[in-house]
Amino acid sequence: MGDMLEFNDIYQEVKGSWNDGRLRFSKQNVVYKSNKTGKVDSIPAGELNQAQWRRVCLGHGIKLGTSTGHIYKYDGFRDTDFEKLSEFFKLNYKMELSEKDMSVKGWNWGTAKFSGPLLSFDINDHTAFEIPLSNVSQCATGKNEVTLEFHQNDDTEVSLMEVRFYVPPNQTDERQDPVEAFAQNVLTKADVIQATGDAVCIFKELQCLTPRGRYDIRIYPTFLHLHGKTFDYKIPYTTVLRLFLLPHKDQRQMFFVISLDPPIKQGQTRYHFLILLFSKEEDINLTLNMSEEDVEKRFEGKLSKNMSGSLYEMVSRVMKALVNRKITVPGNFQGHSGAQCITCSYKASSGLLYPLERGFIYVHKPPVHLRFEEISCVNFARGTTTTRSFDFEIETKQGNQYTFSSIEREEYGKLFDFVNAKKLNIKNRGFKEGMKGNINEYSDSDEDQHDAYLERMKAEGKIREEGNDSDDSDGSGSDESFNPGEEDEEIAEEYDSNASASDSSDEGDDSEDESAKKKAKKTKVVKEKKERKPRKEKKQKDKAGPKRPMSAYMLWLNSSRERIKSENPGISITEISKKAGEMWRQLNKDEKEEWETKAGEAKRQYDKLKKEYKESGGGPTSSPRKEKRKSGGKKDEKRKSSSGEKEKERGGNDSFKSREFIETSDDSSSDSDHKSKSKKKRKKKESEEEEEEEAVSTPASSEEESD
């Protein structure tokens, strides 16, 4: 049996919800630390006077009692843990771990027993259930009834709000009312705040950020009273988890933050943090409403009856003495401007992020406190809106993610060094060097040296470019590739040449007008298509030629791939590339020189084979499709020249107007509908004459095309 026992996933019941944590038994004490809040319960071994092993809903549990009257219950043990714990208690605590059975009869009548801070309901000397009296918020009495109301817990889906006990009248002793006696026993241990007596001191009109407003703070021995114009809050000191004193970035103000669990409530809003804002220049003379002897006896020199100094110092000093907790201040971190905080935004609100010795705290709206032990990893990300800032992402072990955005890029180096010194897991490790060395690292560039896959793609692309350059220098096999855009231009040219030729139609004027409109629209589209730039030509890959050589990195990767797989079983393909990239960067010059020499030899061998292949007449040949397209281009030129000759035969002077021009102008004029039939007949005769002329010129153009 060792000197220490540790158990994980041990649960503690807090106001109806189970909070998991770790429990450690040692010779000196018993320590439990909650994973949710980080609160530590330390029980000295000398104060233990009771230890019970019980069967509970979460397996088995242990109940510990102390000489000071406190009761601690921890559940989640296994049946096999009993022997280890029993032997450990005998050797180190000199006490017996007794087994206690619970009553499962389901009866609703029995005996109520008050044992310290617990109300136990027993049936035949077996406990049916226990109520921690600290969970009681109110106690009301009736004729023969006592009603207990409980504090609501926001972490539970279903909460127990009240329990009623029927207390039968006591016929033996009429002087004492059993209902009043029951209620008095509850109130002595219940968490019922009653403002009795005078306040120790009062701070007037303090500025509060959450909840927002100005409040008078009245300090009582057991609770804190916030009195505002609209709301009043009573905060027991037992609900205070931590105290923070944080300097503002302007060095003229101070934040005093009080962390609360459970939070204070205002309607449906919960405030887990009480944030006060002070000016450093504001001073106060404070006198405690107690005698000097009482002050010395209660606070043991931490406070004196008459004190003076800055307002924030007085408030923090009084709270520290009454709550009996340390005040957390920023550590050694200093940002780019020399401040101990970083300006950023969280959920569309601007605030300050303070890196502490054991966590981060963000002030304010909403305030966030993250302990290092609950952080799974952090991530540095590029800003979404601008390259002058970056985002700092924190992911917790529970799966929650907090993103602090719009952090100035000058803060990156300081924040990265702080996170690295605290040994937090950084997702994108290796990104730091690029950030510090080059400000343009936030732009969408391809200079991230930490990406192994990107390095490989760059190396292969470089080899391709070198191969393409050598192909261009040879000058052979550089035929044009098929481009669909050029076919569009061919079709457009054919359509345009047809549109310029005159058509003979004996249809009515309405059909001629419509055809003229359509042709006019189509000729506009054709012109737009002609103005397009031709697409870049793709080079044909010669499959029969020698294969391009691999880079030094790829040669090394092929030889090391199996070794990486054996050292990392179950690794994926992408993870192999990342791992290989990291290993390649860690190689020294001598190790890399071996592979660079091999890559150089492979490149020289490739150039030699390429030259021999070219000399033997190898290389890509032109495709028949391109030949067709070339001959098609010549035909188009002939068609254009023939159409030009036709126009000259019709009379190529400036006064000549084509039929399309006459028809479109007639359509656009408003008087075209009122023209006489004689003009229409004249037009018809002119069109017949033009057809005769075209019939004469057609054989000449066909001869030219055949040539």
Side-chain angles (χ1 to χ4, degrees):
M1 179 63 63
D3 295 338
M4 187 180 298
L5 284 178
E6 287 192 10
F7 298 93
N8 295 323
D9 298 330
I10 301 299
Y11 295 87
Q12 184 183 36
E13 187 267 330
V14 179
K15 295 183 179 179
S17 69
W18 295 104
N19 293 342
D20 64 321
R22 292 175 294 173
L23 183 64
R24 185 183 66 193
F25 295 93
S26 64
K27 287 184 177 181
Q28 294 79 21
N29 54 16
V30 179
V31 179
Y32 178 80
K33 186 170 185 179
S34 172
N35 290 337
K36 179 189 173 187
T37 61
K39 187 177 179 181
V40 177
D41 293 335
S42 182
I43 310 168
E47 294 182 2
L48 289 174
N49 62 3
Q50 180 188 4
Q52 290 182 357
W53 180 265
R54 308 186 299 177
R55 179 72 180 268
V56 292
C57 60
L58 292 178
H60 291 80
I62 192 169
K63 176 182 176 183
L64 303 176
T66 64
S67 56
T68 56
H70 292 89
I71 301 293
Y72 301 91
K73 294 188 293 183
Y74 304 106
D75 299 343
F77 294 95
R78 297 178 182 176
D79 192 13
T80 55
D81 296 333
F82 175 73
E83 294 181 3
K84 291 190 293 184
L85 285 168
S86 179
E87 189 176 349
F88 187 87
F89 272 66
K90 285 179 183 179
L91 290 174
N92 297 288
Y93 302 147
K94 310 300 182 187
M95 60 186 304
E96 189 84 20
L97 181 61
S98 59
E99 293 188 70
K100 181 78 172 178
D101 294 331
M102 305 289 288
S103 175
V104 291
K105 290 184 177 181
W107 293 0
N108 64 343
W109 65 91
T111 306
K113 293 182 180 179
F114 292 91
S115 56
L118 290 178
L119 167 59
S120 175
F121 189 80
D122 294 352
I123 301 171
N124 296 335
D125 294 332
H126 292 288
T127 303
F129 62 87
E130 292 174 335
I131 298 175
L133 294 177
S134 59
N135 293 356
V136 177
S137 63
Q138 194 57 260
C139 179
T141 59
K143 185 177 180 181
N144 290 320
E145 281 187 352
V146 178
T147 304
L148 305 184
E149 296 180 7
F150 302 102
H151 290 290
Q152 186 178 357
N153 191 343
D154 297 329
D155 296 332
T156 58
E157 296 181 0
V158 180
S159 297
L160 179 64
M161 299 306 298
E162 68 173 33
V163 172
R164 292 185 182 182
F165 292 94
Y166 172 78
V167 183
N170 190 356
Q171 297 177 356
T172 57
D173 189 2
E174 296 180 355
R175 290 175 299 177
Q176 186 180 11
D177 187 2
V179 174
E180 290 296 330
F182 189 99
Q184 195 61 33
N185 285 328
V186 172
L187 290 172
T188 54
K189 298 292 183 181
D191 190 13
V192 179
I193 300 173
Q194 297 175 346
T196 57
D198 297 330
V200 176
C201 60
I202 300 175
F203 298 98
K204 295 279 189 180
E205 293 290 322
L206 295 185
Q207 183 180 355
C208 192
L209 298 181
T210 55
R212 187 166 59 89
R214 288 194 172 270
Y215 291 86
D216 294 341
I217 297 183
R218 298 173 183 175
I219 306 294
Y220 287 90
T222 58
F223 68 94
L224 178 73
H225 184 197
L226 267 69
H227 177 68
K229 293 181 179 179
T230 310
F231 299 101
D232 277 9
Y233 303 98
K234 293 176 182 178
I235 305 171
Y237 296 140
T238 54
T239 65
V240 176
L241 281 180
R242 294 175 186 83
L243 302 173
F244 301 91
L245 189 61
L246 309 170
H248 197 280
K249 194 171 185 179
D250 59 9
Q251 302 298 327
R252 292 181 296 176
Q253 295 174 307
M254 296 290 292
F255 293 109
F256 185 63
V257 183
I258 302 173
S259 176
L260 304 172
D261 185 46
I264 56 178
K265 304 170 186 177
Q266 181 179 309
Q268 295 298 320
T269 308
R270 305 289 184 266
Y271 296 103
H272 292 269
F273 294 88
L274 177 64
I275 302 179
L276 303 173
L277 183 63
F278 298 97
S279 173
K280 283 188 175 182
E281 300 174 354
E282 194 173 355
D283 297 332
I284 189 175
N285 294 319
L286 184 64
T287 302
L288 300 182
N289 190 18
M290 299 172 68
S291 63
E292 291 185 0
E293 294 179 357
D294 292 340
V295 171
E296 183 65 28
K297 183 179 178 181
R298 178 176 175 81
F299 301 113
E300 300 176 354
K302 296 177 182 177
L303 298 177
S304 57
K305 182 175 175 61
N306 297 307
M307 297 179 291
S308 62
S310 299
L311 179 58
Y312 73 90
E313 289 181 353
M314 293 297 101
V315 173
S316 58
R317 189 175 172 185
V318 170
M319 288 297 298
K320 180 182 177 182
L322 286 167
V323 177
N324 198 22
R325 292 193 180 276
K326 295 180 181 179
I327 295 179
T328 304
V329 296
N332 299 325
F333 176 81
Q334 277 195 342
H336 177 72
S337 60
Q340 293 179 300
C341 57
I342 296 172
T343 304
C344 61
S345 297
Y346 177 65
K347 290 188 176 179
S349 297
S350 181
L352 299 173
L353 179 66
Y354 291 85
L356 308 174
E357 288 300 316
R358 295 186 179 180
F360 294 97
I361 186 169
Y362 174 80
V363 179
H364 82 114
K365 201 173 184 180
V368 177
H369 178 235
L370 298 168
R371 294 173 286 114
F372 289 156
E373 58 192 30
E374 64 178 333
I375 294 176
S376 172
C377 61
V378 299
N379 183 34
F380 294 88
R382 290 187 176 94
T384 55
T385 56
T386 177
T387 59
R388 294 182 174 272
S389 64
F390 67 96
D391 297 348
F392 182 57
E393 300 171 352
I394 299 177
E395 188 173 335
T396 63
K397 293 176 181 177
Q398 286 77 23
N400 300 322
Q401 185 167 336
Y402 301 86
T403 302
F404 302 97
S405 58
S406 303
I407 303 176
E408 296 178 358
R409 61 185 177 187
E410 291 81 9
E411 303 284 1
Y412 175 82
K414 300 281 187 180
L415 185 58
F416 188 97
D417 292 339
F418 175 82
V419 170
N420 206 23
K422 296 300 178 183
K423 298 181 180 178
L424 296 177
N425 184 23
I426 303 174
K427 266 189 178 179
N428 51 355
R429 184 177 293 276
F431 188 52
K432 174 192 174 188
E433 290 76 15
M435 284 278 291
K436 286 186 80 174
N438 188 6
I439 295 174
N440 293 329
E441 199 60 42
Y442 290 108
S443 63
D444 291 332
S445 64
D446 293 330
E447 300 299 324
D448 293 17
Q449 297 299 321
H450 68 283
D451 194 341
Y453 179 76
L454 186 59
E455 284 183 7
R456 190 179 68 186
M457 292 298 104
K458 282 183 182 179
E460 292 179 358
K462 192 175 180 181
I463 294 169
R464 289 196 191 97
E465 288 176 3
E466 292 172 359
N468 292 339
D469 293 341
S470 63
D471 291 347
D472 293 339
S473 62
D474 293 337
S476 61
S478 59
D479 292 337
E480 295 178 357
S481 61
F482 174 68
N483 194 344
E486 294 180 3
E487 280 195 347
D488 293 341
E489 291 181 7
E490 287 181 18
I491 296 167
E493 289 170 1
E494 289 176 5
Y495 185 85
D496 194 24
S497 62
N498 291 337
S500 62
S502 60
D503 297 332
S504 61
S505 63
D506 295 332
E507 295 176 1
D509 296 325
D510 296 336
S511 60
E512 289 178 358
D513 295 342
E514 288 177 4
S515 62
K517 285 181 184 178
K518 288 179 182 178
K519 287 176 183 176
K521 287 180 183 177
K522 288 179 180 177
T523 50
K524 289 180 183 177
V525 177
V526 168
K527 287 180 182 178
E528 290 176 1
K529 285 186 178 180
K530 280 184 179 179
E531 290 174 2
R532 287 184 187 170
K533 292 181 180 179
R535 296 185 184 177
K536 263 193 172 181
E537 301 167 359
K538 289 186 180 179
K539 298 195 174 181
Q540 294 287 330
K541 187 176 180 182
D542 190 3
K543 295 181 180 179
K547 192 177 179 181
R548 291 191 180 95
M550 289 189 287
S551 64
Y553 169 74
M554 292 303 296
L555 289 170
W556 172 84
L557 178 60
N558 287 342
S559 66
S560 306
R561 184 177 281 107
E562 294 301 325
R563 179 166 58 87
I564 295 171
K565 285 182 180 179
S566 62
E567 292 176 357
N568 303 275
I571 191 170
S572 63
I573 296 174
T574 55
E575 291 296 329
I576 289 174
S577 300
K578 291 181 182 178
K579 186 72 176 175
E582 294 175 3
M583 294 170 65
W584 175 255
R585 286 197 305 275
Q586 292 172 1
L587 294 178
N588 55 33
K589 289 184 178 179
D590 296 336
E591 292 172 331
K592 286 185 179 180
E593 189 176 356
E594 175 190 351
W595 299 103
E596 287 171 357
T597 304
K598 291 182 179 179
E601 291 175 1
K603 181 69 169 64
R604 286 191 293 273
Q605 185 68 19
Y606 168 75
D607 292 339
K608 183 180 177 182
L609 293 174
K610 185 75 173 177
K611 187 177 180 182
E612 292 175 357
Y613 179 68
K614 293 287 185 184
E615 289 174 355
S616 63
T621 57
S622 60
S623 61
R625 181 184 288 178
K626 290 176 189 160
E627 295 295 337
K628 274 187 182 180
R629 292 176 60 250
K630 282 185 179 181
S631 62
K634 291 178 182 178
K635 286 182 181 180
D636 292 338
E637 290 175 4
K638 289 180 181 179
R639 286 173 188 168
K640 286 181 182 177
S641 61
S642 63
S643 61
E645 288 177 3
K646 289 176 188 177
E647 289 178 1
K648 285 180 183 178
E649 288 176 6
R650 291 178 193 145
N653 55 356
D654 297 336
S655 62
F656 173 76
K657 293 182 180 180
S658 64
R659 189 183 62 179
E660 288 86 350
F661 179 83
I662 295 168
E663 288 174 352
T664 52
S665 62
D666 290 342
D667 292 339
S668 60
S669 64
S670 59
D671 299 329
S672 59
D673 296 335
H674 304 287
K675 285 187 178 183
S676 60
K677 294 181 180 180
S678 60
K679 287 184 179 180
K680 291 180 181 178
K681 289 179 181 178
R682 196 181 304 137
K683 281 184 187 179
K684 193 172 182 180
K685 287 181 181 179
E686 289 175 358
S687 63
E688 289 175 357
E689 291 174 0
E690 287 173 357
E691 287 175 7
E692 291 175 0
E693 291 174 358
E694 187 178 0
V696 172
S697 60
T698 302
S701 61
S702 61
E703 287 175 6
E704 289 175 3
E705 287 180 0
S706 61
D707 294 338

